[in-house]
Every structure is written in structure tokens, then in C-alpha cells.
Amino acid sequence: MAGNSYGTLYKVTTFGESHGEALGGIIDGCPPGIQLDFEAIEVDMARRKPGQSAIVTQRKEPDAVQFLSGIFEGKTTGTPIGFIIPNTNQKSDDYSHIKDNYRPSHADYVYDQKYGFRDYRGGGRSSARETASRVVAGAIAKQMLPEIKINAYVSSVGPIHLETPYQELDFSKIESNPVRCPDEKSAAIMEEYIRDIRKQGDTVGGVVTCVIQNVPVGLGEPVFDKLHAELGKAMLSINAVKGFEYGSGFSGSEMKGSEHNDLYNPDGSTKTNLSGGIQGGISNGMDIYFRVAFKPVATIMQTQDSLDNKGNITPMTGKGRHDPCVVPRAVPIVEAMAAIVLADFYLINKTY
Ligand SMILES: Cc1cc2nc3c(=O)[nH]c(=O)nc-3n(C[C@H](O)[C@H](O)[C@H](O)COP(=O)(O)O)c2cc1C
């Protein structure tokens, strides 16, 4: 299958299915000599892994990464970094109900139409288990760019919104609750809401906000490979993502130029930052911030009509262990994809 790689110079390829032997990946282009902090990689993996709290899927996977190449005495060698993440809990679920049936709003139908055959167990390649490999590649990319700070957090769950601007939030609180919302009051309401939705056998969407600080001026290419275009592609490549906006986003379209313009300070920084840290596709040194909208995922524990592969509409009830709301687990995935994009542009910049 094509389309399993991302990046030009920091090139990440992933492989694996939800219920296969293992997931894994190859990172090609990582510079030599980076002393890796393996604990930091494990921390990010633990933030994504299933079973981490009562408000995510209860599948139990340790998501332990085994590095196979490209690292010697704890340092990157500059050769491809190969790794696997064994699937240890892959045999416990019965997915025979989706063998010949297509869940509404999942990828079953399009995979069958495109390839004529699919590994239906747990969604196969379309499962967000694939994102575990991205988190490994992102954790290494973060270590390549230690001066750049990437913080993502949950800013809404269904109808519950955290309206506080990111500048007034304490990012050290993001990990203080299972929702990953830095405002503890909002987090408690969001958690309650997710628990309630789960009890109803339903799912709910949400928004992850990401803030990237200390980005040097000059990352991003001027025409097609604009920094925000690549961030948008990276975020929209994450499962269940339905929207991306950066800076003032859609709300900027309602403003006047006199309100929206970011006026300069003598050092080139700007007094406001409605542009979201990118101008003309190139980072301008201000904070980059964007929002990623996730849908309520498809598998619900209620009965809905599905389509079978003979063209019959038949009722189906979700089975197995699923996420009632994916945003708490999506936070490290958003950070990982942001880090991969920045690492790629950082290396591209060095070729000038
Ligand atoms: C962290 C994460 C966990 C997910 N968990 C589930 C899940 O438990 N059940 C489900 O039906 N979809 C889940 N999804 C979403 C599916 O992977 C996704 O909807 C599917 O691949 C179809 O792609 P699309 O929604 O982007 O069109 C999850 C997505 C993410 C990011």
C-alpha cells in the first residue's frame, strides 16, 4: 500500500495492523549523535496507549518499543532507525461481525472497494493503533529539536469548551487529569461528560489545541510546502480528524484588516499574533498555534444500520473495546505529528 511514509528529509514510514503481530516504523534521515532519552519516548507512548484511564478504550497494550537499528550506545548513528511495537492483546476480540459488514462512518467499506480485500480485525490498517509508530517518530523528532516546546491539550469535549486563551493556561497541568485539559475545573466537567456518553454506549468528539514555542524564523517553504499546509496535512492524516485551523482560523474571516493585522515591534516580533506564527508559509518566530477537530468515533455500543457486502442494509451493534472520546489519547499524536513536520523543515533549512 502506498502512502505509508511522511516527510522529505526526516522520513517516517509506518507499518502494521491493529491485530497483526506488531506495529512498527522506520525513521530515515535522523541526524547522527543524538543522545536519546528513552524514558521520554516511553512517557509519550504511555500518554497514547489504550487502557490508561477509565475514559479511554480498555484494550490492554503495554506499547513497549523495541529498537532494531540506527542506535548505538544510546545515540542515533545516522542510519535508519527501525523499531517494532508488538501487539500483545490482539487475539482477544471477535471481529467476525465486521468481516462482511461495513460499519457506518468507519473505513471498512472504502478499504474493501479500493483493495478488494481487508484485514478486518479491529479495523486493520485503518485502526488508530498505527499512530503508536508516529508517537515514537515524534518523540525522537522532539529530541532533535530540544529548544522547541510543543504542548497540546484538550480544549473541548462535545459541547464543553475551554475558552481561556492558551497564554493564560499552565501547561504543567495538562497531565494532571485523564482528559488532558489544563483547566482542572473544565477537565472535571469534560470527564463526567465522557463517562456519561460511555454509559449511553455512545461516543463524542472534541478539539485538541497545540502550541509550539521557540520556533526559529524561517521554517517552511514559500509556495506549495508552506509550514501551515504541511501542519494541516499532518494533522488531517490522523484518524478521525475532521477539521484544522491555525492562528485566527475561521474566526479571522469575520474580522477587518485593521483589527487582524499583527503590528511589528522593532525586533521583528509582533504585538499580537492572529497570524499564528506563520506568514507566507514561513515561521516568523512567534508562537505557532492551531486547533484540530476530532469527530465522535464510529463504533458505538448501540444498534445502527450497517451495509453488508451483498448490498443489504442490516442492523449492527458495536462490539469490542473502543474509545468513547479520542481526544485525551490524541494529544500526544498531535504533538508527534507537529514534531515530525518541524524536524523535516529544520533539516530542509540546513540544506540552504
Ligand atoms: C486515538 C484514537 C483512537 C481511536 N479509537 C477508535 C475506536 O476505539 N473505535 C473507532 O471506531 N474508531 C476509533 N478511532 C477512529 C478511527 O480510527 C477512524 O474513524 C477510522 O480510521 C476512519 O477514519 P476517518 O474517521 O478519519 O474517516 C480512533 C482514532 C484515534 C485518533
Side-chain angles (χ1 to χ4, degrees), residues 130-200:
E130 180 274 337
T131 60
S133 304
R134 305 185 193 205
V135 170
V136 176
I140 293 176
K142 283 182 188 174
Q143 295 185 35
M144 223 183 99
L145 307 167
E147 66 288 355
I148 295 180
K149 301 289 168 226
I150 305 175
N151 282 290
Y153 61 90
V154 170
S155 52
S156 80
V157 166
I160 305 153
H161 296 265
L162 172 63
E163 306 285 1
T164 316
Y166 78 83
Q167 293 88 341
E168 292 167 31
L169 295 171
D170 177 358
F171 291 153
S172 73
K173 297 252 168 68
I174 295 171
E175 295 299 315
S176 71
N177 59 79
V179 181
R180 299 204 161 85
C181 172
D183 180 81
E184 284 161 330
K185 239 167 124 182
S186 308
I189 303 168
M190 290 171 179
E191 185 178 346
E192 199 47 45
Y193 189 77
I194 298 171
R195 283 176 187 273
D196 202 47
I197 286 287
R198 157 167 269 163
K199 270 192 221 133
Q200 295 168 34

Side-chain angles (χ1 to χ4, degrees), residues 48 57 103 105-107 126-129 131 236 238-242 294-295 297-300 321-324 326-327 329-330 333:
R48 196 217 69 95
T57 171
R103 289 169 289 179
S105 287
H106 214 296
S126 76
S127 162
R129 263 201 79 57
T131 60
L236 288 161
I238 300 171
N239 313 46
V241 171
K242 290 288 164 190
F294 289 79
K295 72 177 193 181
V297 296
T299 311
I300 59 173
R321 293 151 303 173
H322 294 272
D323 287 282
V326 298
V327 283
R329 293 181 60 213
I333 306 169

Side-chain angles (χ1 to χ4, degrees), residues 1 17 29 58 70 73 93 97 101 109 125 141 183 188 206 256 276 301 311 313 329 341:
M1 202 193 294
E17 286 84 25
Q58 294 305 297
E73 294 177 341
D93 276 323
H97 68 295
N101 278 58
Y109 172 79
R125 184 72 178 150
D183 180 81
K256 296 180 192 143
M301 300 299 139
I313 301 292
R329 293 181 60 213
V341 170

Side-chain angles (χ1 to χ4, degrees), residues 28-336:
D28 203 359
C30 185
I34 299 169
Q35 186 77 50
L36 289 178
D37 176 348
F38 293 98
E39 215 179 297
I41 300 171
E42 276 172 32
V43 167
D44 274 354
M45 292 299 281
R47 295 167 75 214
R48 196 217 69 95
K49 81 175 180 185
Q52 61 181 270
S53 74
I55 55 166
V56 304
T57 171
Q58 294 305 297
R59 177 171 171 166
K60 293 283 179 221
E61 283 286 1
D63 280 354
V65 189
Q66 294 170 18
F67 287 102
L68 306 176
S69 64
I71 299 167
F72 184 63
E73 294 177 341
K75 273 195 221 165
T76 58
T77 58
T79 61
I81 300 172
F83 62 90
I84 59 166
I85 306 154
N87 284 322
T88 60
N89 199 200
Q90 78 271 43
K91 296 209 168 67
S92 57
D93 276 323
D94 178 16
Y95 282 97
S96 54
H97 68 295
I98 55 168
K99 182 168 178 281
D100 300 315
N101 278 58
Y102 307 129
R103 289 169 289 179
S105 287
H106 214 296
D108 310 327
Y109 172 79
V110 288
Y111 269 54
D112 254 10
Q113 295 300 308
K114 183 172 169 72
Y115 303 107
F117 179 67
R118 82 195 138 101
D119 176 351
Y120 56 83
R121 300 164 305 164
R125 184 72 178 150
S126 76
S127 162
R129 263 201 79 57
E130 180 274 337
T131 60
S133 304
R134 305 185 193 205
V135 170
V136 176
I140 293 176
K142 283 182 188 174
Q143 295 185 35
M144 223 183 99
L145 307 167
E147 66 288 355
I148 295 180
K149 301 289 168 226
I150 305 175
N151 282 290
Y153 61 90
V154 170
S155 52
S156 80
V157 166
I160 305 153
H161 296 265
L162 172 63
E163 306 285 1
T164 316
Y166 78 83
Q167 293 88 341
E168 292 167 31
L169 295 171
D170 177 358
F171 291 153
S172 73
K173 297 252 168 68
I174 295 171
E175 295 299 315
S176 71
N177 59 79
V179 181
R180 299 204 161 85
C181 172
D183 180 81
E184 284 161 330
K185 239 167 124 182
S186 308
I189 303 168
M190 290 171 179
E191 185 178 346
E192 199 47 45
Y193 189 77
I194 298 171
R195 283 176 187 273
D196 202 47
I197 286 287
R198 157 167 269 163
K199 270 192 221 133
Q200 295 168 34
D202 217 332
T203 60
V204 65
V207 173
V208 174
T209 296
C210 184
V211 183
I212 312 175
Q213 292 165 307
N214 292 343
V215 182
V217 181
L219 297 192
E221 295 297 298
V223 183
F224 293 110
D225 299 336
K226 291 181 162 82
L227 178 52
H228 56 286
E230 285 304 308
L231 284 170
K233 177 180 174 179
M235 298 307 146
L236 288 161
S237 77
I238 300 171
N239 313 46
V241 171
K242 290 288 164 190
F244 172 82
E245 57 173 355
Y246 86 103
S248 58
F250 283 84
S251 69
S253 67
E254 294 169 18
M255 296 172 78
K256 296 180 192 143
S258 54
E259 299 164 329
H260 194 274
N261 286 346
D262 294 318
L263 303 185
Y264 284 109
N265 293 310
D267 65 357
S269 65
T270 55
K271 294 181 200 300
T272 52
N273 182 21
L274 290 167
S275 303
I278 305 170
Q279 218 78 67
I282 298 168
S283 60
N284 66 4
M286 300 298 289
D287 292 351
I288 294 172
Y289 60 95
F290 56 84
R291 289 167 293 279
V292 188
F294 289 79
K295 72 177 193 181
V297 296
T299 311
I300 59 173
M301 300 299 139
Q302 297 180 4
T303 305
Q304 277 192 322
D305 279 348
S306 71
L307 175 70
D308 73 15
N309 57 9
K310 312 243 165 9
N312 302 306
I313 301 292
T314 52
M316 181 198 277
T317 311
K319 280 189 197 163
R321 293 151 303 173
H322 294 272
D323 287 282
C325 179
V326 298
V327 283
R329 293 181 60 213
V331 164
I333 306 169
V334 166
E335 287 181 4

